[in-house]
Amino acid sequence: MQLDKAEILIVGAGIIGLTIARELVRAGYGDIVIIDKEPELGRHASGRNSGVLHAGIYYSPDSLKAKSCLNGNFLMRAYCKEKGLPLLENGKVIVARTTGELPVLDELHSRATANGAKVEMIDEHQLAEIEPNARTVGRALFSHYTAVVDPKAVLKSLKNDLEESGRVRFHLECPLTGLEGSGTAQTGKGEIGFSRFVNAAGAYCDKVARLFGVGGNLRLIPFKGIYRLLRKEAPFTVNSSIYPVPDIRNPFLGVHFTRSVHGDVYLGPTAIPAFGRENYGILAGIDREGFGIALEDLTLFLANPLFRSVALSEPLKYLPSYFYRDAARLVKELSPTDVLPSAKVGIRPQLVDWETKQMIMDFMVVADGASLHVLNPISPAFTSSMDLAQGIVAAHFKG
């Protein structure tokens, strides 16, 4: 059964799919279909992230993340102001827990400066003026451009814009199930013909890519991000975000404090190896891939020391006492009773190069004939999305 036919078919109605569609409309394309397996937007990574707009601090200056993050931040902030969407522009601080972390703090300052971010090294007195309860050893890094948005509000607004353009059609609850030849997608609702194809499938990007013979050396290893809430009656507050100095050899930033646009203060996320692309609960979301993912985790555990370190330390944060200890190292005052459970859980769809057994640190954009694949869309993908979309459309659709 023929469901639809489009010049461009986009699989995935998350932030990457929506922003690419937005740029295609701006470039003059007028026959675009977006499909998604869920009944509404924001069910997965795009709607479950912290809402932080990053400022290009962590990323190697030659990376696609570095090249897209800061301008993506500016574009997203401008969009939120234009549309009247919630936005906090309070910056963030990165604090050192030990003197051994100070050289990495200096490296972050160097990377941020090279990437064009406005940052400054501050002492403990200056830190106390910005975040009175934050604790550091000697000095901290203050990021001026870091901001916070409401991810679901952004997704809803973008979808409204695309529908109002009259050039984009959505089919929700419409999973991609396969390909028929080179120009027909099989879906749960029928066939969709296309001339160009965009893979913006998030945690399923590797599966979609393999339908086109792309990314055969890639494996997706999901990591679970658990959040907790700061009790509203806690005797202190968080004005913006308090982050630790991360281990820049891996792509995780560590448990941190973030004030949301709605006034709640979240702690997290963790980076616990998960057993499903939607394994949001302890057992919920473990599907038939779970056993295979467990075997891949074991392989990485044996082959990759960085993964082994994460796999040994992060699962302990399921326990409130361990989670609390991690968070308490960032602040002067925190009681276990100040940290409450939260329903907020996310999955980070981390790609691994299975030939080298190394986690891929950067975004990957692979063009293959009439198909284009946005792979490894992990943080700061939400921040980078509008700039990333501009670059993708300029490079692969214009001219």
Side-chain angles (χ1 to χ4, degrees), residues 4-65:
D4 209 335
K5 188 175 181 181
E7 181 180 5
I8 301 171
L9 173 62
I10 299 175
V11 174
I15 192 65
I16 298 295
L18 296 183
T19 51
I20 289 175
R22 178 173 178 258
E23 284 304 313
L24 288 169
V25 168
R26 294 171 70 174
Y29 289 88
D31 184 19
I32 303 164
V33 165
I34 301 176
I35 66 172
D36 197 282
K37 71 182 182 65
E38 300 294 351
E40 60 186 14
L41 275 56
R43 284 285 185 95
H44 301 294
S46 293
R48 290 174 176 266
N49 70 75
S50 64
V52 172
L53 297 184
H54 295 283
I57 293 172
Y58 303 101
Y59 319 115
S60 175
D62 60 350
S63 66
L64 187 52
K65 285 185 177 183

Side-chain angles (χ1 to χ4, degrees), residues 93-99 102 105 120-142 329-332:
V93 294
I94 302 174
V95 300
R97 293 159 293 190
T98 67
T99 55
L102 293 177
L105 197 67
E120 59 181 303
M121 202 68 76
I122 58 176
D123 61 28
E124 293 180 64
H125 296 293
Q126 292 170 303
L127 175 64
E129 293 176 0
I130 299 167
E131 287 290 353
N133 197 41
R135 175 169 62 185
T136 197
V137 176
R139 59 185 188 271
L141 193 64
F142 177 54
R329 298 178 69 193
L330 307 182
V331 292
K332 300 171 184 174

Side-chain angles (χ1 to χ4, degrees), residues 52 54 59 65 251 253 348 361 363 376-383:
V52 172
H54 295 283
Y59 319 115
K65 285 185 177 183
L253 299 181
R348 179 192 184 94
M361 297 292 285
F363 305 140
N376 209 39
I378 55 176
S379 180
F382 196 97
T383 303

Side-chain angles (χ1 to χ4, degrees), residues 109 134 170 183 242-243 252 283 306 349 352 366:
H109 184 275
F170 284 83
I242 305 171
Y243 277 63
F252 311 113
L283 298 177
L306 284 175
V352 174
V366 179

